[in-house]
């Protein structure tokens, strides 16, 4: 008789948002103009229950992808613990993960760009916010900010 597996559990949208908030990076998957997939880990910051932001240069593969097809998929893992369960002679992994679908758009309003960049800086470098205004003056014009608006609530899964 096979040992019973601990099934993964589907979690609420609010739980999934916690995974996104705790994950150091979120993998954003896009589609290249030739139809091939393109996924990469990005430093996202969340504004609310529907909006994420990332920043990038004003040209390059990310911009080509979202200009061609603005639909993206987000994937995050905030806990990943491989484990050998000796009593069951079983290899397993405990995890917290979340996925979401969204639609991208380039932010053109400077107030929203600054708000988005502030959210990103507060999330990743909160101890250096005293330099934020100076950095904005120096680089706002050459920084592209991309908004991801979720098109449905995120889904979370976990295995304790």
């Amino acid at each position: 008789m096979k040992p019973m597996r601990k099934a993964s559990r589907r979690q609420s949208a609010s739980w999934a948002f916690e995974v996104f908030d705790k994950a150091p990076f979120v993998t954003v998957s896009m589609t290249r103009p030739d139809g091939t997939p393109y996924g990469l880990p990005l430093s996202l910051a969340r504004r609310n229950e529907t909006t994420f932001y990332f920043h990038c240069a004003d040209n390059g593969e990310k911009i080509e992808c979202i200009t061609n097809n603005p639909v993206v998929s987000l994937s995050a893992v905030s806990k990943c613990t491989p484990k050998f369960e000796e009593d069951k002679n079983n290899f397993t992994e405990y995890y917290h993960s979340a996925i979401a679908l969204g639609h991208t758009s380039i932010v053109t309003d400077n107030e929203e760009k600054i708000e988005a960049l502030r959210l990103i800086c507060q999330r990743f470098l909160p101890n250096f916010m005293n330099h934020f205004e100076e950095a904005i003056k120096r680089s706002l014009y050459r920084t592209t900010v991309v908004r991801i608006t979720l098109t449905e609530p995120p889904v979370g899964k976990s295995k304790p």
Side-chain angles (χ1 to χ4, degrees), residues 84-126:
F84 179 72
E85 299 170 321
E86 289 192 39
D87 58 328
K88 299 176 188 172
N89 195 28
N90 185 48
F91 294 87
T92 192
E93 186 139 27
Y94 294 99
Y95 62 90
H96 292 170
S97 67
I99 59 170
L101 293 176
H103 186 273
T104 59
S105 54
I106 295 174
V107 176
T108 56
D109 176 73
N110 278 345
E111 285 185 32
E112 184 180 0
K113 272 179 82 170
I114 292 168
E115 176 191 2
L117 292 168
R118 186 181 312 279
L119 288 169
I120 293 166
C121 290
Q122 285 175 330
R123 176 165 187 225
F124 294 99
L125 291 166

Side-chain angles (χ1 to χ4, degrees), residues 17 21 44-54 107 109 111-113 115-117 119-120 123 147-149:
F17 280 123
D21 292 343
L44 267 60
R46 183 168 66 93
R47 181 174 79 184
N48 55 34
E49 302 289 307
T50 59
T51 309
F52 288 86
Y53 293 104
F54 68 89
V107 176
D109 176 73
E111 285 185 32
E112 184 180 0
K113 272 179 82 170
E115 176 191 2
L117 292 168
L119 288 169
I120 293 166
R123 176 165 187 225
R147 177 190 323 106
I148 300 173
T149 304

